[in-house]
């Protein structure tokens, strides 16, 4: 990960929350933020636009913003509840596809929490958590930033979780906070460091031995490339395994654009049968 957003320059002494979010997104490789403006996220968008390392792409609706992803980590920015609930379907799709997406939502003013007020963009109840509860089912981490004291910790935890789990995360930022500075934003943050998950060596060796013994007995083995290969960054390793074992490779639908798809051993004539038992056995063959 790069350690700075603008050529290694340190953050300004009066760095704001909005600048901090922008810099952290750049540091994890985000170059494009797909956004739909709304009155709760306008100030945040101003800071994202001002970051030289980011390109804010305006979208005509939230689904476009949620589905859009240039490469690596995807980022979308929408407004409170109206935008959040609209982008929910796209975020659920990213969750099912194991895609790291940072969904940044402009939230209510931090002074409105606990006032029992009914705000616009809500469902008419003095409860600001409906959007959060919806996102809990389709994101691996949720952060509600409504004060500056732990804002940098919440943001870093959310972004690093998206990278580690390869799943979308939800970050709500109170609309009055992006323009405010804080001492924690004026120093270089700790670079992102995702420690690799250690393997159980005994278990790994046993698994390899069992796999080799199984493949030795196979007459014409076929490898099925499943949807978790790209999450584990095992595309190249799966190709090497296919070459070493002489196996054909059948990618599942989600893996059609993965490295295995361009491998010479890919079975192009195979078909995958999809059955919808809810519609009394309806099925189609994909060839």
């Amino acid at each position: 990960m790069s350690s700075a957003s603008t050529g290694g320059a340190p953050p300004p002494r009066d760095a704001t929350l909005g600048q901090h979010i922008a810099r952290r997104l750049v540091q994890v490789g985000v170059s494009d933020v797909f956004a739909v403006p709304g009155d709760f996220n306008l100030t945040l968008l101003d800071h994202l636009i001002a970051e030289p390392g980011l390109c804010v792409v305006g979208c005509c609706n939230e689904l476009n913003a949620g589905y859009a992803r240039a490469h690596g980590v995807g980022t979308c920015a929408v407004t409170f509840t109206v935008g959040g609930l609209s982008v929910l379907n796209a975020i659920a799709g990213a969750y099912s596809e194991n895609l790291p997406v940072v969904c940044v939502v402009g939230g209510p003013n931090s002074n409105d929490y606990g006032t029992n007020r009914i705000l616009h963009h809500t469902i008419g109840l003095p409860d600001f958590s409906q959007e959060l509860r919806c996102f809990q089912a389709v994101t691996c981490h949720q952060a509600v930033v409504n004060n500056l004291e732990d804002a940098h910790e919440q943001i870093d935890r959310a972004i690093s979780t998206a990278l580690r789990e390869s799943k979308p995360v939800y970050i709500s930022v109170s609309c009055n906070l992006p323009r405010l500075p804080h001492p924690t934003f004026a120093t270089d943050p700790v670079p992102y460091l995702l420690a690799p998950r250690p393997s159980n060596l005994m278990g790994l060796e046993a698994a390899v031995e069992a796999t080799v013994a199984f493949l030795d007995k196979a007459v014409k083995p076929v490898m099925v490339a499943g949807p978790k290969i790209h999450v584990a960054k095992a595309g190249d390793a799966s190709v090497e395994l296919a070459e070493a074992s002489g196996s054909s490779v059948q990618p599942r639908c989600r893996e059609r654009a993965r490295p295995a798809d361009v491998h010479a051993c890919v079975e192009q004539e195979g078909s995958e049968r999809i059955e919808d038992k809810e519609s009394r056995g309806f099925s189609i063959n994909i060839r």
Side-chain angles (χ1 to χ4, degrees), residues 15-239:
T16 64
L17 173 60
Q19 291 173 320
H20 178 76
I21 294 174
R23 293 176 68 246
R24 282 314 235 174
L25 290 175
V26 171
Q27 287 166 2
V28 297
V30 173
S31 58
D32 299 278
V33 177
F34 299 91
V36 179
D39 51 355
F40 283 93
N41 70 353
L42 293 178
T43 304
L44 175 60
L45 289 179
D46 285 341
H47 286 85
L48 298 181
I49 292 172
E51 167 56 52
L54 290 178
C55 175
V56 177
V57 182
C59 299
C60 60
N61 61 59
E62 286 79 9
L63 276 181
N64 286 349
Y67 282 125
R69 177 169 168 267
H71 57 80
V73 183
T75 303
C76 61
V78 298
T79 194
F80 176 56
T81 302
V82 171
L85 297 185
S86 293
V87 81
L88 195 65
N89 197 24
I91 298 303
Y95 190 92
S96 69
E97 297 284 350
N98 302 291
L99 300 176
V101 176
V102 179
C103 181
V104 184
V105 179
N109 190 300
S110 61
N111 298 309
D112 286 330
Y113 283 89
T115 61
N116 209 35
R117 294 175 180 172
I118 297 178
L119 299 181
H120 66 303
H121 286 202
T122 67
I123 59 172
L125 298 174
D127 177 12
F128 306 155
S129 65
Q130 183 198 31
E131 178 185 82
L132 170 63
R133 295 196 303 272
C134 291
F135 273 93
Q136 285 174 340
V138 295
T139 56
C140 66
H141 185 84
Q142 307 83 38
V144 178
V145 180
N146 54 20
N147 71 86
L148 296 179
E149 296 303 321
D150 64 347
H152 67 294
E153 296 176 0
Q154 289 208 65
I155 292 165
D156 281 8
R157 187 179 301 114
I159 295 176
S160 61
T161 302
L163 295 173
R164 184 176 61 253
E165 303 295 332
S166 192
K167 293 281 189 180
V169 295
Y170 164 86
I171 303 177
S172 173
V173 181
S174 289
C175 59
N176 61 316
L177 297 185
R179 67 178 183 274
L180 300 180
H182 191 270
T184 56
F185 309 143
T187 58
D188 276 322
V190 177
Y192 284 108
L193 177 62
L194 302 179
R197 295 179 179 178
S199 296
N200 183 319
L201 294 181
M202 293 182 62
L204 180 60
E205 291 176 358
V208 170
E209 291 177 1
T211 302
V212 171
F214 179 80
L215 290 175
D216 285 342
K217 299 176 182 178
V219 177
K220 189 179 178 182
V222 176
M223 286 179 53
V224 179
K228 296 292 186 179
I229 285 182
H230 76 280
V231 178
K233 296 180 175 59
D236 293 338
S238 64
V239 171

Side-chain angles (χ1 to χ4, degrees), residues 234-249:
D236 293 338
S238 64
V239 171
E240 292 179 9
L241 176 59
E243 291 175 342
S245 63
S247 302
S248 298
V249 179

